[in-house]
Amino acid sequence: TKEQITHIVSQDPALKQCPQYIRREFPTVKVVSYDDTTLAARDVGNGTLPATAAAIASKGCAGIYGLSVLDEGIQDLKHNYTTFLVLSAAH
């Protein structure tokens, strides 16, 4: 539950998209930057991190790693969309 959370882990860009939400909902938690949102979810799910840790990651990670979704749409700017591209070297 939200009340049990002592740490929130995620990749820095994801954390920077929801600082107001974190301060409002989890004012006393320790926020920890992780190399990757998926790795953060994986490590919460597999017990590498304490049971009191939560990850900010995609909803798909919850199903993959056996996690419960506590909240959705937590970004501070509701029209903020992250876009991913696949790039390769020009030949």
Side-chain angles (χ1 to χ4, degrees):
T1 65
K2 284 184 174 182
E3 296 75 31
Q4 296 169 317
I5 303 302
T6 60
H7 293 74
I8 293 178
V9 296
S10 193
Q11 188 177 28
D12 197 49
L15 295 170
K16 288 182 177 177
Q17 289 182 18
C18 50
Q20 292 173 25
Y21 167 82
I22 293 170
R23 279 193 298 272
R24 182 180 66 250
E25 298 293 323
F26 301 97
T28 61
V29 303
K30 181 177 180 181
V31 177
V32 180
S33 182
Y34 232 69
D35 288 336
D36 184 278
T37 56
T38 302
L39 295 178
R42 180 199 67 191
D43 287 354
V44 169
N46 69 15
T48 299
L49 293 170
T52 57
I56 294 175
S58 71
K59 188 175 182 178
C61 286
I64 293 169
Y65 299 112
L67 301 171
S68 299
V69 176
L70 297 178
D71 264 335
E72 294 184 49
I74 64 171
Q75 69 277 7
D76 293 334
L77 299 174
K78 295 304 174 190
H79 298 317
N80 182 17
Y81 298 98
T82 301
T83 302
F84 295 95
L85 305 172
V86 177
L87 305 172
S88 67
H91 293 286

